[in-house]
Amino acid sequence: MEILAFGVQSDEKPLMEKAFAGHHEVRCLDVFLNEDTAPIAAGYEIISTSVNATLNNRVLQTLAAGGTQLIAQRSTGFNNIDLEVAERLGLTVARVSYYSPYSVAEFAWTLATAVNRRIVRASNRTRDFDFRLDGLMGRDLRGRTVGVLGTGKIGEAFTRIAHGFGMKLLGWDIAENPACVELGMKYVDKERLFTEADLISLHVPLLPATEHLVGSAALRTMKDDAILVNSSRGGLIDTKALVSELREGRFTGVGLDVYEAEAGLFFLDKSLDVVEDDTLARLVTFPNVLVTSHQAYYTVDAVSQIIETTVANVLDYQAGRRSENVLVPSAPKS
């Protein structure tokens, strides 16, 4: 059987082909699944998608009509999939419920330290042989307060690094993580966290209850010299409200690996296009803002785990097994 995989990056392709070898052939496409590309899947019982795929009603209808029965998404998040429609159409949907939390946690810290120590500005200067230090002053993190919103596996890994820096730890989540408490984390309400933290990092999933978790009210309560990092989901931040605060000269730095309107932009080369997203265009002009293109997960360790789990999801589906990765179950195979 041949598996059709959408949105496969060039670095990811050899890992995909190696992982599926001995099981199935895999056809890797660099295009993302959306309403325009969905007809390509006609005749494929099993497809694999990336986090930036569009799996709305129309796309799912097209897939089902073309004979697709399993959608194996190569990500933890699944807010891009209309699960109710998938279930109604009898589609099986699986995801990757776990991969290396260190990839994202370490990258979040990369963003935090980069904006704190003005690394991008310094690098651009030295390329022009400008070795002045003016405007490059950062701050020691030791002794300052970090606020971690979401203390699951990734939040815990982020917290361990913060503990290594010697920071005071504040956390917010629906349930306390004993490992974080053991490190000295104090759980507080999010209003207090926004008010007291010098560095805030987001590690919660995007749900209706967390959409725009960092909105205008939260942003206004943050310290003027705070650092804000988001390596989770773009919709957690009200970007227009963030731009408004940045225009007032607030915040030491903002590091964003995700953006709420990233679909159709991230993972693509738009360097020769006119970007019509005025909010993003304004956002990247601020000297204290660093935007990367959803690459926090992108290590050989994490991607290998994601692909291996995707292969396992395919094999489980064919054997009629259901694991914790299945979001929408189909009838067991006879």
Side-chain angles (χ1 to χ4, degrees):
M1 179 184 294
E2 186 177 53
I3 312 297
L4 182 63
F6 286 92
V8 179
Q9 304 296 314
S10 59
D11 297 330
E12 186 183 7
K13 183 177 179 181
L15 298 175
M16 287 278 289
E17 292 173 339
K18 181 179 179 180
F20 273 100
H23 301 292
H24 298 289
E25 293 183 11
V26 58
R27 179 187 175 194
C28 297
L29 304 180
D30 58 3
V31 297
F32 297 102
L33 177 62
N34 54 39
E35 293 183 8
D36 294 327
T37 60
I40 301 174
Y44 286 90
E45 179 182 347
I46 301 172
I47 68 166
S48 178
T49 58
S50 65
V51 68
N52 266 25
T54 299
L55 288 151
N56 58 20
N57 178 57
R58 185 171 297 180
V59 170
L60 292 171
Q61 291 275 4
T62 301
L63 293 176
T68 295
Q69 295 183 39
L70 171 66
I71 299 168
Q73 177 140 299
R74 304 186 307 279
S75 71
T76 300
F78 53 90
N79 54 287
N80 60 319
I81 307 173
D82 191 327
L83 297 180
E84 292 184 2
V85 172
E87 186 168 19
R88 187 172 71 245
L89 293 171
L91 297 169
T92 299
V93 181
R95 62 160 179 161
V96 177
S97 58
Y98 173 84
Y99 62 87
S100 168
Y102 308 108
S103 59
V104 179
E106 290 172 6
F107 193 83
W109 272 108
T110 300
L111 291 175
T113 53
V115 296
N116 178 42
R117 301 306 300 269
R118 317 287 197 249
I119 298 299
V120 175
R121 183 184 298 178
S123 177
N124 290 338
R125 281 187 185 180
T126 55
R127 286 178 181 273
D128 293 329
F129 296 97
D130 178 353
F131 300 104
R132 293 172 301 159
L133 297 181
D134 295 343
L136 301 182
M137 185 175 288
R139 297 179 297 173
D140 287 2
L141 294 173
R142 181 175 179 81
R144 288 189 160 82
T145 300
V146 63
V148 185
L149 290 134
T151 56
K153 292 182 176 65
I154 296 174
E156 178 187 331
F158 184 90
T159 300
R160 291 188 181 279
I161 299 172
H163 181 261
F165 272 110
M167 302 187 74
K168 300 174 184 176
L169 310 173
L170 294 181
W172 177 82
D173 209 328
I174 56 175
E176 296 185 3
N177 184 333
C180 292
V181 173
E182 187 175 348
L183 291 169
M185 173 170 279
K186 182 176 183 179
Y187 280 84
V188 297
D189 58 60
K190 62 180 182 294
E191 290 75 19
R192 178 178 171 183
L193 187 149
F194 285 124
T195 301
E196 297 184 7
D198 299 293
L199 165 61
I200 294 173
S201 190
L202 309 181
H203 301 287
V204 298
L206 180 59
L207 305 168
T210 60
E211 185 174 5
H212 287 182
L213 179 69
V214 184
S216 57
L219 290 164
R220 283 195 299 268
T221 62
M222 288 171 57
K223 295 181 178 180
D224 288 341
D225 60 354
I227 293 172
L228 175 63
V229 173
N230 186 11
S231 58
S232 183
R233 289 291 181 268
L236 298 175
I237 296 178
D238 183 339
T239 315
K240 290 184 178 179
L242 175 60
V243 168
S244 179
E245 296 300 317
L246 288 165
R247 291 184 59 165
E248 298 297 321
R250 301 190 63 222
F251 308 136
T252 288
V254 175
L256 304 175
D257 185 51
V258 288
Y259 173 60
E260 60 181 325
E262 68 182 54
L265 289 172
F266 281 21
F267 304 134
L268 300 172
D269 181 3
K270 295 291 185 178
S271 59
L272 298 179
D273 299 341
V274 175
V275 177
E276 299 178 355
D277 189 325
D278 293 336
T279 303
L280 179 61
R282 184 71 180 93
L283 188 65
V284 298
T285 65
F286 292 103
N288 58 334
V289 174
L290 174 56
V291 178
T292 54
S293 54
H294 207 140
Q295 71 181 80
Y297 78 99
Y298 206 54
T299 67
V300 64
D301 310 87
V303 172
S304 294
Q305 284 183 285
I306 290 169
I307 293 172
E308 288 166 5
T309 301
T310 300
V311 173
N313 287 341
V314 169
L315 298 179
D316 282 346
Y317 161 79
Q318 292 184 307
R321 296 187 296 263
R322 296 176 181 173
S323 72
E324 63 179 355
N325 297 323
V326 176
L327 298 169
V328 176
S330 63
K333 286 181 167 293
S334 58

